[in-house]
Amino acid sequence: MVLAGIIFIGMGNVEWWIKIVITVVPAIMYFVILIRQEFPPNERVAAGVSYREMLQEFGIGGASLVAFLVVLQLNDFFGPGPEDYVMRYGFIAIGVLMVVAFGWYVRTLGRPILLFLCFIIMPLATTELGTDSWIQSIMHGIASDKGFDAGWVLIYTSAIMLVLRLFAGSVLHQVSPLALLVISSVLAIFGLYFLSISTGWYIFVAATLYGLGKTFFWPTTLGVVAEQTPRGGALTLNAVSGIGMLTVGMLGAPIIGAFQSNSQIEQLQASQELTLAAPKTLLTDGKVDLPLRDETIYSIIDFQTVDMEEFQGAVENTDNSQEINTLVADLKTKGTQRALAKVIIFPVIMLACYLILIFYFRTKGGYKPVVLEKN
């Protein structure tokens, strides 16, 4: 990620497909390195746990969560209209069929702790990957004022992750996995908040906290999955990761986008400078009455956006139209950055979940990995 980020920025404004092609290089390298490697049987296979027993760890609960995300993915890809009931309900039927077929085979709801970890990976993936996917656009205006590409923020946090993950083993010898995840959540909360208010080079100070926070989220959570549900073998590890990746694309990134739109509106409506500069036709009770559009994500998440075409049409004939447009652009940039303060809700949820797990394991005599005996 560090090298690709540097190469990406160095390429400048070349065709997008050329930038995508560079991902082929590490893919080929991975293939060459791994093709001749021999891997030992995993813990599940060595212990003689059957395929059905592996699936039972995931259970109907996990299948329902995956089916929900798959239905969202199908609706997003094919984009059925509001009146296209056949396709919309057809996708729901596919999801129900998946759950019914899986449930008939496994006949269990799944391990409660695994289902809880499947839930945790959703805000976790949004905090890490969702924020990373938006960070360049969020920081673009602030970074441009100082003359550097906002992509350097992502490269910097990736470099922090690279270094710290090399020493993850020694860190985990000093602190338990759940305690490390609690610390990481706290650091992510403060990092995201300071990123939402920092300017200039102070962005990198805030990014340091954020980078420290997100470094151990994903691998440590997967480590807990592996230690607590070894009967699930590779399935539980890949299922939890898959749920996280699906969540980022289908819910996490769109929700962060909705946060940005709402924050932009808040900044525009709260600006006294815009209130004084705007024409009277846009004022209601002494406040700017913005032309807003109601938007929805999958008909379950409602938010609003500013109809900039209508807004610019209302101010284009005023003497200070250029001043207003510049002010609006600056306020929207500020609002976009402030949206990171709303993203804090995700590491806060994670923090609560990890504290629940710590309390749960204390009632069991402390956190201990589950070890399978060979059958």
Side-chain angles (χ1 to χ4, degrees):
M1 290 177 66
V2 173
L3 288 175
I6 295 171
I7 294 170
F8 186 90
I9 293 174
M11 282 182 169
N13 295 320
V14 301
E15 293 290 334
W16 65 269
W17 63 267
I18 297 177
K19 294 179 177 180
I20 295 297
V21 164
I22 67 174
T23 62
V24 174
V25 177
I28 293 174
M29 291 174 66
Y30 285 136
F31 177 79
V32 172
I33 291 171
L34 296 175
I35 189 62
R36 294 185 177 182
Q37 299 301 315
E38 293 185 9
F39 293 91
N42 65 38
E43 190 176 5
R44 175 192 71 85
V45 175
V49 177
S50 69
Y51 188 76
R52 173 179 283 186
E53 289 174 316
M54 176 183 72
L55 296 180
Q56 286 175 337
E57 292 285 286
F58 197 53
I60 297 172
S64 299
L65 183 55
V66 171
F68 169 71
L69 294 171
V70 168
V71 170
L72 290 184
Q73 179 77 73
L74 290 171
N75 276 286
D76 180 65
F77 183 79
F78 291 98
E83 298 182 358
D84 196 347
Y85 298 109
V86 175
M87 184 178 292
R88 187 179 297 275
Y89 288 108
F91 293 149
I92 294 175
I94 291 174
V96 172
L97 182 62
M98 289 170 56
V99 176
V100 170
F102 193 85
W104 175 83
Y105 184 70
V106 299
R107 303 185 183 186
T108 178
L109 289 176
R111 284 281 303 283
I113 190 169
L114 178 61
L115 299 180
F116 193 61
L117 291 168
C118 286
F119 168 76
I120 292 176
I121 201 69
M122 298 174 77
L124 186 156
T126 303
T127 300
E128 181 178 338
L129 303 181
T131 304
D132 284 351
S133 68
W134 277 107
I135 198 73
Q136 189 165 9
S137 61
I138 289 174
M139 292 296 174
H140 176 72
I142 306 299
S144 297
D145 292 341
K146 290 296 181 180
F148 66 89
D149 193 298
W152 285 108
V153 179
L154 179 58
I155 293 171
Y156 176 65
T157 57
S158 298
I160 291 174
M161 294 168 66
L162 168 65
V163 174
L164 290 181
R165 285 183 178 179
L166 289 174
F167 301 98
S170 57
V171 171
L172 284 168
H173 279 110
Q174 304 299 321
V175 62
S176 71
L178 294 177
L180 178 60
L181 288 168
V182 166
I183 296 170
S184 297
S185 298
V186 173
L187 288 171
I189 290 169
F190 282 102
L192 286 170
Y193 176 74
F194 288 123
L195 273 174
S196 73
I197 61 174
S198 297
T199 58
W201 296 103
Y202 288 106
I203 290 174
F204 287 96
V205 178
T208 301
L209 285 177
Y210 170 61
L212 291 172
K214 71 174 182 172
T215 291
F216 297 113
F217 275 153
W218 200 287
T220 308
T221 298
L222 289 184
V224 173
V225 172
E227 289 184 339
Q228 297 303 314
T229 61
R231 295 170 67 87
L235 172 76
T236 50
L237 287 171
N238 285 286
V240 170
S241 291
I243 288 171
M245 297 301 291
L246 279 172
T247 300
V248 171
M250 304 316 304
L251 291 173
I255 288 174
I256 294 177
F259 285 167
Q260 290 183 57
S261 294
N262 290 335
S263 292
Q264 289 173 359
I265 293 171
E266 291 170 4
Q267 291 295 319
L268 291 169
Q269 291 177 334
S271 173
Q272 292 296 322
E273 191 176 355
L274 181 60
T275 300
L276 295 174
K280 293 183 179 180
T281 55
L282 283 178
L283 298 179
T284 301
D285 297 330
K287 295 184 178 180
V288 177
D289 187 12
L290 297 169
L292 302 176
R293 289 195 304 239
D294 292 326
E295 305 281 355
T296 184
I297 302 173
Y298 311 122
S299 302
I300 56 176
I301 301 170
D302 298 324
F303 66 102
Q304 292 182 311
T305 58
V306 180
D307 189 333
M308 291 307 300
E309 186 175 343
E310 183 178 342
F311 179 84
Q312 290 174 348
V315 302
E316 64 179 353
N317 294 322
T318 60
D319 295 334
N320 60 342
S321 61
Q322 186 173 356
E323 175 191 347
I324 293 175
N325 287 329
T326 301
L327 178 59
V328 167
D330 291 340
L331 289 170
K332 288 182 68 178
T333 297
K334 186 177 180 181
T336 299
Q337 183 184 11
R338 292 291 189 272
L340 288 172
K342 298 179 183 292
V343 179
I344 289 174
I345 185 62
F346 298 115
V348 167
I349 292 172
M350 293 159 55
L351 176 60
C353 290
Y354 293 134
L355 290 174
I356 290 172
L357 284 176
I358 288 175
F359 176 78
Y360 167 76
F361 281 110
R362 281 187 178 178
T363 63
K364 300 289 185 179
Y367 180 88
K368 297 177 182 178
V370 176
V371 179
L372 294 180
E373 294 182 1
K374 292 187 177 182
N375 185 355

